[in-house]
Amino acid sequence: MGSPANLFVRDTFQDEDSTPLQDHAPDTGGNWAKAFDISSDGTIVDNMVANPTASGYVSYVNATPTEYDGDGELTVYLKYQIPNPYTRILSNPIKVNVDTDDGDYYDVDFESGLIFRYIGGISDGTIVPTPDVGNRTPATPVAGAEHEIVVRVTNTGSSVDFEIYLDGELWQSASDTSPNRIAAAGKVGFSLDGATGVRAFEVIDFAAFDGFQLTPYEPPPPSFWAGFRLTREE
């Protein structure tokens, strides 16, 4: 099952309004950088990152896992909300195994559950979820409510396997066994499509782990328990 989960990126986007994402320091991990030159600037508003309200998109990546190559696991966690009555957004993928120099990466679509493989920046195939695992249409997000998406990526050596969780429940499962599968560790990140005149999607929290973990919850430090006394009833 891979190594225990080790948090290597965490960002709750606590910063002044209008701060460009690339100028913002995450809670943990590396700095944000645009995945592609044509990406619009992502900016922080109300301690969130929203989609552009015009044409275009924002696409950012952060650090690379340290224990994924060979036989390892990677988890990417994202908490989001839909601020307005829900309409399908064209594409809001979590990005994994991103090689920004060569343009190799996977896009894991939040809504369809499809995984898109890109080689040299060009579409190189779609990994379709396994029919008997999950493969259900998610409930329509409630405007203003928070939701969680988790992508678990396992490099087995002969395949790159994906599990997608919505609000803590397994939703989709898929496996890339192609000779072109992207087995090497790469950066993690996300993209948000533009929606003209509509703030339609807001990222509240982003985290990534070496290993598998459904939430970025961390146990309190030992000092938290100071003063507590455990008793046993006879």
Side-chain angles (χ1 to χ4, degrees), residues 47-64:
N47 297 324
M48 296 179 285
V49 179
N51 63 285
T53 54
S55 60
Y57 67 96
V58 299
S59 187
Y60 279 81
V61 291
N62 201 292
T64 300

Side-chain angles (χ1 to χ4, degrees), residues 29 37 57 67 72 74 83 94 97 101 113 136 182 191 197 224 229:
D37 292 339
Y57 67 96
E67 302 173 9
L74 161 70
I94 284 176
N97 296 12
D101 292 329
R136 60 181 176 82
I182 306 170
S191 295
F224 174 83
R229 181 179 179 185

